[in-house]
Structures are given as C-alpha cells and as structure tokens.
Amino acid sequence: MPQHTFRHTVWHEEDSAEEYSFRKYLPKNEKMYNWADKSKNPSVNILHTYTVTRGKESLWGSLIYRQSAKSQGSREVFHFYLSRDVFVTNKIDFEKDADLEKEEILHQMESAASSIEVMMIILGEMVASILHKIDSFEERLHDLLWAIKEKNNKKTLGEIENIRHEILLWKHLIMGFQEIKMAIEETFGKRVMEETEYHRTATRIERCVMLVNSYEDEVNNMVDIENVVANYRGNEIMKTLTVLTTLFTPIMAWGALWGMNFENMPELNWQLGYIGALLVILGSTFVLYLYLKRKGWMGDILQSIGRSKIEKE
C-alpha cells in the first residue's frame, strides 16, 4: 500500500489493521495485538494510550467516522497507530465520500510539522465531511418545523423520531473525535495544542458539537410543541363531544320515556301529544344550552367551529 512521505513525517496507509503490513509498525505489545485481531468491524469506538516511557508515548484505536442511519452494520471504521515517529492507518475509502478529496488532503499534509499534525488533518477532514452532511440535514429540520405548525399528524411525529435518531448518531460519531482530541493532548502533552492543524481540527470539532447540540435542543422543543398541540386538540375534541352529548341528553331521555310500550300511557291519547313532546324536547335542550353557555362551557367550541368553517372557505 502507498507510503505517503512528507517534509517532516511519513504516513503508512495499509489495507487492514489485521494484516502483517500494518502490524510490522506496531511495538511488540499484547494489548495492541489483541486490538488488531478484533479490529475488523467494531460496533463501538476503541482507544488506547501508552504513556509509560517518556518520549515513546503512543495512541492507537478504532474510530467509527461514518454510520448509516438506516443500517446498523453499515459503517466505516478508521484504524490507526500514532506515535511521534510512526503513523500508520488502514486504507481510507476516499471514493465513497465526495467531501474527502485525497489529493487536497495530501497537499495539506506537505506542510505538517509532525505525524500528529497529519493525524489531525485526517480527523479534521472527516469532521468537515460530517459538517457538510449536517448542513443538508438542517434543511429537513427547517421543513419539519413548519410541518408541525401546519400538519401536526402521525407522519410528522414519525419524521421527528427519525430526525432525533439521526441526531443521536451524529452525537455518537462526534463523541469519538472529541475523545481522540483529548487523548492526543493527554498522551503527547500540551505542546501539540500549539500546532496549527491541532487547533484547526479542535475548533472544527467544537463547531460540530455546538451544531449537533443546538439541533438536539430544537428537536426536543419540537417534541414539546407537538405534545402541547396534540394534547390541546385532544382536549378540544373531548370537550366538544362531551357538550354535544350533554345537549342531546333531553332528546334521548324524553325519547326513551315515550318510547316505552306500557298499556297505560296517557300521553298516547293526547290530541296534541306529538307537538307537545317536541316542544318539551326543544325547550329542555334550549334551557340546557343556556345553562352551559352561562357557565362558559360553550364559547371555545363555537369559536373553533366558526374558525374551521372560515379556514375551509
């Protein structure tokens, strides 16, 4: 595999962390070999540091830098070993991501002062790729914000859950970059923080964290709004049904009374019994309506019905 030689350092890009071409650059360390044996397709990030011997500090692990939102097993993993003198990684599939321009990245590495800076350039470009995808994600979030106002339904709620799931995936990805950034400072000292590429990548990671956290807050607010609107509409529906049921109670009560089949029912022989029954039913309903209106239990319902008719027109 290619060996990228720069002015101050070398980047060994090998096929896989499991192969000999990768392992030959690793110190003879059982923990390191165990990591290489299990590094085929890890489901979580792995990170180890070595700080026992001054001047021979090293950092190695596996970073999930791309994860499909639709398939749990569809992910891209970056395996690496980093010391002050050696930098070796597995092959990065630049062709899969249009945001990762290999020639531009290699050109940027020409001015890197150390292998640590080369590592930070790679991490920085991976984070830039995530930021670009988050920008397109923001458009969906904006559309969803208006959909909640105009069409608050089951489909909208499902879209909120999908977006919330994607945000959690972004957070999971960025967490790995944050951990490596902190581990580099822990392993190689604060001097690395003065290097240009470290500072640039660290700032880019912080920007990504800020965006993801902001989007998470937005989605949580959307969920709160959706719950408030759904509860309000549910209460309005229940109140309307309750009032309508109450208004029809006299009709049902008098209808049940005069629908009995007893032989001795004097109303059956009344000449004006039918008209009288209608007047009793209408009068009882009207009195009940006045009572509900006086209590203030009818105003919102009548206004809601009026608004619905206007909106349809």
Side-chain angles (χ1 to χ4, degrees):
M1 287 303 294
Q3 175 178 295
H4 308 289
T5 303
F6 309 109
R7 220 175 305 172
H8 302 290
T9 188
V10 176
W11 170 26
H12 303 279
E13 187 184 16
E14 304 299 333
D15 275 330
S16 169
E18 299 173 300
E19 297 183 2
Y20 172 74
S21 58
F22 186 101
R23 293 178 184 232
K24 69 181 180 181
Y25 296 104
L26 305 181
K28 293 182 180 179
N29 184 312
E30 185 177 351
K31 183 189 294 186
M32 204 170 294
Y33 286 156
N34 288 336
W35 158 72
D37 290 336
K38 300 174 182 178
S39 64
K40 187 172 182 180
N41 190 24
S43 58
V44 296
N45 295 317
I46 301 171
L47 188 63
H48 297 285
T49 61
Y50 177 82
T51 56
V52 175
T53 306
R54 185 72 61 88
K56 293 185 178 181
E57 297 90 348
S58 60
L59 179 74
W60 70 94
S62 302
L63 170 70
I64 299 173
Y65 66 94
R66 190 185 299 134
Q67 171 70 64
S68 170
K70 298 179 180 178
S71 173
Q72 182 179 356
S74 180
R75 66 176 74 93
E76 298 293 332
V77 184
F78 175 57
H79 306 292
F80 63 91
Y81 169 79
L82 175 67
S83 69
R84 296 185 185 275
D85 304 318
V86 179
F87 179 49
V88 55
T89 72
N90 66 320
K91 179 176 172 56
I92 301 173
D93 198 346
F94 292 94
E95 290 75 16
K96 275 191 176 182
D97 197 329
D99 296 319
L100 294 177
E101 294 287 345
K102 188 170 185 178
E103 293 304 320
E104 293 183 2
I105 293 174
L106 292 176
H107 178 72
Q108 186 178 354
M109 290 175 177
E110 287 292 343
S111 57
S114 65
S115 59
I116 299 172
E117 279 210 316
V118 172
M119 171 73 164
M120 295 308 292
I121 289 172
I122 294 175
L123 295 180
E125 292 304 312
M126 289 177 175
V127 174
S129 175
I130 293 175
L131 281 169
H132 185 263
K133 292 177 177 62
I134 288 177
D135 288 340
S136 60
F137 170 83
E138 184 177 3
E139 186 176 347
R140 289 176 53 207
L141 198 62
H142 178 269
D143 293 340
L144 182 60
L145 180 63
W146 287 99
I148 290 176
K149 182 179 184 296
E150 298 169 0
K151 299 181 294 185
N152 187 28
N153 51 30
K154 186 177 180 181
K155 184 179 179 181
T156 303
L157 181 60
E159 184 62 22
I160 291 176
E161 292 305 314
N162 289 336
I163 282 187
R164 175 180 270 182
H165 176 254
E166 287 186 44
I167 288 177
L168 290 176
L169 289 179
W170 294 128
K171 291 192 73 172
H172 180 73
L173 289 178
I174 296 302
M175 195 182 302
F177 289 93
Q178 280 186 297
E179 185 181 10
I180 291 178
K181 182 197 75 171
M182 297 174 68
I184 287 177
E185 179 188 349
E186 172 193 343
T187 305
F188 301 107
K190 288 191 175 182
R191 185 176 297 178
V192 299
M193 299 175 65
E194 300 172 1
E195 296 180 352
T196 302
E197 297 301 339
Y198 178 91
H199 184 266
R200 178 180 289 127
T201 298
T203 303
R204 192 171 290 171
I205 291 172
E206 290 173 8
R207 180 158 62 97
C208 197
V209 170
M210 181 273 296
L211 286 174
V212 171
N213 287 338
S214 298
Y215 293 152
E216 184 179 32
D217 290 339
E218 283 190 37
V219 171
N220 289 336
N221 289 334
M222 286 182 188
V223 173
D224 292 339
I225 292 172
E226 197 279 335
N227 288 334
V228 169
V229 172
N231 289 335
Y232 173 77
R233 288 180 177 175
N235 290 337
E236 285 296 300
I237 291 171
M238 292 303 299
K239 186 162 62 173
T240 302
L241 293 176
T242 301
V243 169
L244 291 176
T245 303
T246 304
L247 286 176
F248 280 94
T249 298
I251 300 175
M252 293 184 290
W254 292 113
L257 178 64
W258 287 317
M260 297 179 182
N261 295 320
F262 296 117
E263 293 183 5
N264 297 319
M265 292 186 67
E267 297 93 332
L268 296 176
N269 299 319
W270 289 357
Q271 186 176 359
L272 300 177
Y274 180 73
I275 296 176
L278 289 178
L279 292 175
V280 170
I281 291 173
L282 293 175
S284 302
T285 303
F286 183 69
V287 169
L288 186 57
Y289 167 77
L290 292 178
Y291 175 78
L292 294 175
K293 188 175 181 180
R294 185 177 179 183
K295 289 289 187 179
W297 298 343
M298 295 290 294
D300 292 342
I301 295 174
L302 294 176
Q303 291 174 12
S304 299
I305 294 173
R307 274 199 306 268
S308 298
K309 288 182 179 179
I310 293 172
E311 290 173 359
K312 288 180 180 179
E313 292 174 357

